[in-house]
Amino acid sequence: IEQSERAYLLKPNGMKPIESVRQIKSDLLYWPDWRSRPWIVAGTSKESPSEIVFSGLFIKDCTGDGFNNQVASLLKHFDWAIFSYFTTYQSDICCLVTSCTGLIKNNVVNTYGAEAEISIFEGDPISSLRTATFYDYELEGYFAYEVAKANGEKPPLLFCRIDIENPDLYRKWNNETDEHDPDLWYENHLDKLNLVEEFTTEYQGYKFKNLIYQVSNERAYIDIWSEASEDHSIAEATFSANTNLKKLKSALTKSYSFEITKDLDDYSEWAYSQIYGGGADEHHAIFRSKDPKITQKLWELVGKNQISRF
């Protein structure tokens, strides 16, 4: 705002000039904690010869052409704009779009460093974004496997995690006998896959057995992922076959649960997982690839169940 000739706060009910962040905070109590809010802050680096009028779009997600149309409309009127949209249950993603490369270098990178992810595009913005979220209820794991096949890759890797100190957690409740089944539900499925790595991790008092399998049996893989909505689920992620297992093991020792972030670019071509909201039965999928073309391929496969990309 300070480096711009003009800056504005854009809302569905109108726009107003601003000269400081303080003006935004006085108008929007929850800024900048603006999860899925239709608020945009935008500005111009030079004096505009005519009055700027912006009437939208104001997207809530990236489904369809919403993201593309908003970006195109903003860059038609402004040199930069900042907004957010729904991405995951767990975090907010702030999106800056700009035609001024100096703004990226001098402000964003200097301030946020590696926390900022930069995509440069000449056409469709969506196709340059590498992370995608989408719904896949009753199809958990499917789209990741289909992407691997479409790319002509070797069978992907399935990562499972089991709480060593709570084995009864993985025994299904039998409504007929009114007690837990004696056998662990996943054993027959795992027997059909090729084990490539097994190791134990301990984090803040929790101890886990970590299992990495190559998906040698598609049905067993899908059956394991199909339990994602249950508390007894063991599937954590699916990785590309060329994943560096040594680096993956190192990453898994540093947290309680696996999460897809930019860090996985260091050891995997792509990865798929689930993000949970209020419980196991409230979740959506997240996929990330080093190559936006792979993410785009998955995005097209998902179709109407798309949520957003970032």
Side-chain angles (χ1 to χ4, degrees):
I1 294 173
E2 291 176 351
Q3 296 177 20
S4 298
E5 187 66 33
R6 288 188 179 183
Y8 304 86
L9 174 60
L10 314 176
K11 297 193 295 183
N13 62 354
M15 57 184 287
K16 72 174 186 178
I18 54 173
E19 296 181 354
S20 70
V21 168
R22 188 177 294 107
Q23 287 177 268
I24 305 175
K25 288 183 174 290
S26 66
D27 193 66
L28 302 173
L29 179 62
Y30 298 107
W31 190 91
D33 300 322
W34 48 2
R35 189 186 299 266
S36 302
R37 302 299 178 92
W39 308 330
I40 302 171
V41 181
T44 59
S45 58
K46 298 179 181 179
E47 186 70 39
S48 175
S50 58
E51 182 179 359
I52 297 176
V53 178
F54 181 82
S55 57
L57 299 164
F58 293 90
I59 62 169
K60 291 185 178 180
D61 56 50
C62 294
T63 303
D65 294 327
F67 182 87
N68 292 33
N69 291 338
Q70 176 171 300
V71 169
S73 182
L74 287 168
L75 293 182
K76 180 180 178 180
H77 294 89
F78 307 100
D79 295 315
W80 62 267
I82 296 174
F83 58 90
S84 75
Y85 50 82
F86 177 75
T87 51
T88 77
Y89 292 116
Q90 302 166 348
S91 60
D92 298 320
I93 301 295
C94 189
C95 183
L96 164 69
V97 294
T98 179
S99 56
C100 303
T101 55
L103 190 67
I104 293 285
K105 181 178 180 181
N106 298 331
N107 293 298
V108 179
V109 175
N110 288 347
T111 302
Y112 294 100
E115 293 301 313
E117 180 166 333
I118 299 170
S119 300
I120 300 174
F121 57 89
E122 295 180 356
D124 175 10
I126 287 289
S127 64
S128 71
L129 303 177
R130 299 192 287 141
T131 305
T133 57
F134 55 95
Y135 293 112
D136 63 349
Y137 285 109
E138 299 182 357
L139 290 172
E140 292 91 346
Y142 170 77
F143 291 110
Y145 190 80
E146 288 299 303
V147 163
K149 289 198 300 184
N151 288 339
E153 302 174 14
K154 292 180 179 179
L157 303 176
L158 172 65
F159 165 45
C160 297
R161 175 170 276 188
I162 299 170
D163 188 334
I164 293 176
E165 298 178 353
N166 294 285
D168 288 340
L169 178 64
Y170 307 102
R171 301 185 192 278
K172 288 186 177 180
W173 183 261
N174 190 317
N175 290 322
E176 294 184 3
T177 62
D178 205 27
E179 60 183 5
H180 286 99
D181 289 334
D183 299 324
L184 298 173
W185 71 268
Y186 55 77
E187 288 183 333
N188 288 335
H189 301 308
L190 292 182
D191 287 343
K192 299 173 184 176
L193 305 177
N194 293 331
L195 181 66
V196 296
E197 197 77 39
E198 179 177 345
F199 57 98
T200 300
T201 55
E202 192 168 353
Y203 186 81
Q204 295 183 351
Y206 294 94
K207 197 171 183 179
F208 295 98
K209 179 166 68 172
N210 301 277
L211 303 165
I212 299 177
Y213 291 85
Q214 189 159 47
V215 183
S216 50
N217 184 298
E218 181 178 354
R219 184 68 262 165
Y221 164 80
I222 293 298
D223 286 342
I224 291 170
W225 264 117
S226 69
E227 301 292 328
S229 289
E230 306 295 336
D231 291 333
H232 59 244
S233 175
I234 64 170
E236 288 282 328
T238 301
F239 297 99
S240 61
N242 60 359
T243 296
N244 185 317
L245 296 183
K246 183 177 180 180
K247 290 185 176 181
L248 172 59
K249 288 172 63 177
S250 176
L252 292 174
T253 62
K254 300 174 183 178
S255 65
Y256 167 74
S257 60
F258 173 77
E259 183 180 357
I260 288 186
T261 66
K262 299 193 304 300
D263 295 338
L264 75 85
D265 294 348
D266 185 44
Y267 55 81
S268 186
E269 186 68 27
W270 57 259
Y272 158 93
S273 187
Q274 293 287 339
I275 296 174
Y276 294 91
D281 60 344
E282 181 186 15
H283 62 265
H284 62 251
I286 181 168
F287 179 92
R288 179 180 174 84
S289 174
K290 287 183 180 179
D291 185 350
K293 292 181 181 178
I294 295 178
T295 305
Q296 179 66 18
K297 188 172 296 183
L298 173 130
W299 191 245
E300 293 168 355
L301 284 171
V302 172
K304 64 180 182 179
N305 290 324
Q306 301 163 355
I307 299 177
S308 62
R309 283 176 72 170
F310 54 94

